[in-house]
């Protein structure tokens, strides 16, 4: 097959870009180094499946009426996103969030791409930038060193870098439910959970009193941690994946106002005649279902750089997890990304080499859905270019448009850092709209404007 587009990287962004192109009849070569004869794999990946989820199994909120990431879900679904279709098939109960069985999800993506007659998935490592032809680089935040070096040479600038930490996963049957209990905070998302086959209580909660919390925080501070290499020492963290021990260092109460927030969670084990529903604990550790079978649960917000032995010892001091068995312990890896507002044009093309587009987390977006959405846009842009059609960007009032605009020029280049989609990236709504109604105003405007843009893709 003679290829029209070469996509490098079979993660979320590369898979989505390949789907958008192939379903329009474009001939695509998708190169993925995992599964190659050389046996290459990034430090964070566990297997060879396309679109493997290496951190959380959650795509975060699926509420398209009040949440920016939920609106991004909506935008992608309207664009026939493969990632969103696969997530629907792999979904597991998580309240109002969209969480998936990671193995089922990856298998769905791979099967859909394998069925495309104009798409070839080739297991190979690419070490150089293509000298000719259209290319989309979607190698993610763990780009192989040789290719990263070539990208650095082509951009004429040093890539930025940050650390992204992975949360542990616990076997469900090793959790003591005589101590822990199931509930969603304030019962939020219970209706959505019930519709999906859940019971409205989608999180396992492990309670702590004041003394237990303080001892746990001290254990985080004192625990044996990964020692960074000299060249990693000054790499900043992205706040969305802040290691829990780094949060602990920020103050005694930081965790209680973050991932260990107890509000809205009545512990039925602490029920009394005066409080028949139970009382809120001083702090709480939450676990979220990680696979469809419900056998694996991940510790929400517990990404960590503690060494494995230290993790096991400390996490087993958590009430309910005294006998916990871990399917995966936490880890830490170094991420790299471009200063995209400086290096890329409004169509994600490298200014110094316009035949090359970048997509996904290497552009500086953060999050599974954001990464896939930039891959979706790169695929649509490239398809329009091949067809000789003008490209009309999505309105900045849409989630797709707001994120794209931020990456390709609206962000401050001097302080550019990874960013999740959020309403701060959108043009302001009418200042007369009441504060409590602004989220709905953002989403209603975005949905309406997306409907006006979709015909440009025909």
């Amino acid at each position: 097959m003679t290829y029209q587009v070469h996509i490098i990287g079979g993660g979320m962004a590369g898979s989505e870009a390949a789907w958008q192109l192939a379903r329009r009849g474009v001939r695509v070569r998708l190169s993925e180094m995992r599964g190659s004869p050389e046996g290459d794999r990034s430090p964070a990946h566990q297997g060879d499946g396309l679109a493997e989820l290496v951190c959380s199994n959650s795509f975060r909120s699926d509420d398209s009426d009040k949440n920016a990431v939920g609106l991004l879900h909506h935008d992608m679904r309207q664009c026939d996103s493969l990632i969103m279709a696969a997530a629907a098939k792999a979904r597991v109960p998580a309240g109002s969030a969209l969480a998936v069985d990671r193995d089922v999800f990856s298998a769905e993506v791979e099967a859909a791409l394998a069925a495309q007659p104009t798409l070839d998935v080739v297991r190979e490592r690419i070490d150089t930038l293509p000298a000719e032809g259209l290319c989309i680089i979607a190698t993610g935040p763990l780009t192989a060193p040789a290719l990263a070096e070539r990208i650095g040479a082509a951009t004429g600038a040093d890539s930025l870098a940050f650390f992204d930490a992975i949360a542990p996963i616990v076997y469900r049957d090793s959790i003591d439910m005589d101590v822990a209990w199931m509930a969603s905070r304030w019962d939020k998302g219970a209706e959505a959970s019930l519709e999906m086959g859940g019971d409205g209580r989608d999180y396992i909660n492990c309670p702590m009193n004041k003394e237990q919390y303080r001892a746990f925080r001290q254990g985080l501070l004192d625990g044996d941690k990964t020692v960074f290499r000299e060249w990693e020492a000054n790499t900043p963290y992205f706040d969305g994946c802040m290691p829990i021990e780094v949060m602990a260092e920020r103050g005694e109460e930081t965790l209680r106002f973050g991932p260990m927030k107890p509000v809205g969670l009545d512990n039925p084990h602490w029920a009394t005649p005066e409080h028949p529903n139970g009382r809120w604990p001083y702090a709480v550790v939450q676990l979220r279902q990680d696979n469809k079978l419900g056998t694996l649960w991940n510790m929400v917000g517990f990404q960590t750089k503690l060494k494995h032995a230290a993790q096991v010892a400390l996490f087993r001091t958590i009430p309910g997890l005294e006998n916990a068995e871990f399917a995966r312990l936490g880890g830490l890896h170094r991420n790299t990304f471009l200063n995209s507002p400086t290096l890329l044009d409004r169509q994600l093309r490298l200014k110094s080499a316009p035949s090359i587009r970048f997509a996904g987390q290497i552009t500086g977006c953060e999050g599974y859905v954001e990464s896939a959405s930039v891959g979706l846009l790169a695929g649509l842009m490239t398809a329009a270019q091949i067809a000789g059609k003008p490209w009309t960007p999505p309105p900045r009032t849409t989630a797709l448009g707001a994120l794209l605009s931020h990456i390709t020029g609206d962000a401050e280049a001097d302080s550019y850092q990874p960013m999740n989609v959020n309403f701060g990236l959108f043009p302001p709504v009418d200042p007369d709209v009441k504060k409590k109604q602004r989220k709905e105003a953002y989403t209603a405007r975005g949905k309406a404007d997306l409907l006006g843009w979709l015909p440009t893709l025909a």
Side-chain angles (χ1 to χ4, degrees):
M1 182 187 295
T2 301
Y3 303 102
Q4 295 169 283
V5 182
H6 187 187
I7 299 176
I8 305 174
M12 301 287 281
S15 295
E16 184 68 54
W19 168 259
Q20 294 295 333
L21 286 162
R23 63 183 292 270
R24 289 170 170 80
V26 177
R27 299 185 301 277
V28 179
R29 181 187 187 95
L30 176 59
S31 298
E32 169 54 50
M33 73 174 184
R34 288 175 297 120
S36 67
E38 296 81 9
D40 292 292
R41 187 176 294 169
S42 79
H45 286 91
Q46 302 289 318
D48 297 335
L50 299 179
E52 179 185 340
L53 306 182
V54 299
C55 189
S56 168
N57 71 321
S58 174
F59 290 2
R60 314 195 316 281
S61 176
D62 202 33
D63 183 354
S64 66
D65 293 326
K66 296 182 180 179
N67 189 282
V69 73
L71 183 61
L72 187 57
H73 291 180
H74 167 272
D75 288 5
M76 294 175 68
R77 288 178 177 126
Q78 295 299 306
C79 295
D80 190 27
S81 164
L82 169 62
I83 293 304
M84 297 309 298
K89 294 180 179 179
R91 191 167 187 170
V92 297
S96 59
L98 173 56
V100 302
D101 180 310
R102 62 186 75 224
D103 293 330
V104 174
F105 172 77
S106 177
E108 289 289 341
V109 170
E110 194 149 344
L113 293 179
Q116 294 300 309
T118 62
L119 170 65
D120 276 351
V121 177
V122 184
R123 301 291 182 161
E124 59 183 352
R125 189 186 70 211
I126 303 296
D127 291 336
T128 61
L129 296 175
E132 57 183 16
L134 297 178
C135 177
I136 298 174
I137 298 176
T139 47
L142 295 171
T143 300
L147 183 58
E149 184 178 341
R150 300 300 190 281
I151 293 171
T155 59
D158 293 334
S159 292
L160 300 176
F162 67 102
F163 281 115
D164 192 10
I166 300 172
I169 294 177
V170 179
Y171 288 105
R172 170 66 172 79
D173 60 8
S174 70
I175 301 172
D176 185 354
M177 297 305 295
D178 289 332
V179 176
W181 81 102
M182 295 193 70
S184 294
R185 196 182 310 278
W186 303 116
D187 293 326
K188 185 177 180 181
E191 183 176 342
S193 169
L194 290 168
E195 291 176 355
M196 290 173 46
D199 62 3
R201 301 174 300 162
D202 292 335
Y203 293 84
I204 294 176
N205 302 279
C206 299
M208 287 186 180
N209 59 32
K210 187 173 184 178
E211 292 72 25
Q212 290 168 331
Y213 169 77
R214 288 186 170 178
F216 180 77
R217 175 179 176 267
Q218 193 61 48
L220 290 172
L221 299 178
D222 297 340
D224 194 13
K225 303 173 182 70
T226 301
V227 177
F228 298 146
R229 299 174 184 174
E230 183 178 352
W231 56 270
E232 296 175 314
N234 295 319
T235 302
Y237 295 107
F238 170 57
D239 283 346
C241 279
M242 183 72 63
I244 192 167
E245 60 276 4
V246 175
M247 285 187 276
E249 292 170 357
R250 295 187 169 185
E252 187 170 298
E253 298 294 291
T254 301
L255 293 173
R256 293 186 63 242
F257 287 89
M260 298 179 71
K261 182 169 63 176
V263 298
L265 292 167
D266 292 322
N267 183 355
H269 299 308
W270 294 356
T272 64
E274 184 180 1
H275 300 284
N277 294 325
R279 303 298 302 275
W280 295 354
Y282 188 78
V284 68
V285 174
Q286 287 196 305
L287 296 95
R288 179 177 57 226
Q289 187 173 330
D290 201 78
N291 65 345
K292 276 188 174 294
L293 293 174
T295 56
L296 301 177
W297 291 67
N298 66 63
M299 300 174 68
V300 178
F302 267 60
Q303 47 274 354
T304 180
K305 60 176 182 175
L306 288 172
K307 291 185 177 180
H308 285 183
Q311 290 181 48
V312 173
L314 181 61
F315 295 159
R316 284 180 177 165
T317 68
I318 297 170
L321 299 185
E322 292 90 346
N323 297 306
E325 296 294 334
F326 297 90
R328 184 187 73 189
L329 288 163
L332 191 70
H333 54 272
R334 182 182 185 271
N335 287 353
T336 58
F337 59 95
L338 298 173
N339 192 322
S340 295
T342 298
L343 300 171
L344 305 183
D345 70 9
R346 291 292 186 175
Q347 290 196 39
L348 298 169
R349 294 175 297 203
L350 189 60
K351 292 177 182 178
S352 61
S355 63
I356 298 175
R357 281 188 169 89
F358 284 85
Q361 283 185 265
I362 197 170
T363 66
C365 67
E366 172 61 23
Y368 294 142
V369 182
E370 288 87 342
S371 178
S373 71
V374 178
L376 182 152
L377 289 167
L380 293 176
M381 292 169 179
T382 307
Q385 181 178 349
I386 291 172
K389 296 179 179 179
W391 165 253
T392 301
R396 296 186 183 192
T397 51
T398 66
L400 284 171
L403 185 61
L404 177 64
S405 296
H406 176 78
I407 290 170
T408 59
D410 287 3
E412 290 291 337
D414 291 343
S415 58
Y416 188 60
Q417 286 288 311
M419 180 67 71
N420 292 121
V421 67
N422 63 82
F423 288 128
L425 305 183
F426 292 64
V429 295
D430 189 328
D432 292 334
V433 175
K434 293 182 180 179
K435 187 174 182 180
K436 290 184 178 181
Q437 299 173 337
R438 286 179 186 169
K439 291 180 179 179
E440 290 92 333
Y442 277 115
T443 58
R445 181 186 66 179
K447 289 178 181 180
D449 290 350
L450 186 78
L451 283 177
W453 174 73
L454 288 174
T456 70
L457 302 181

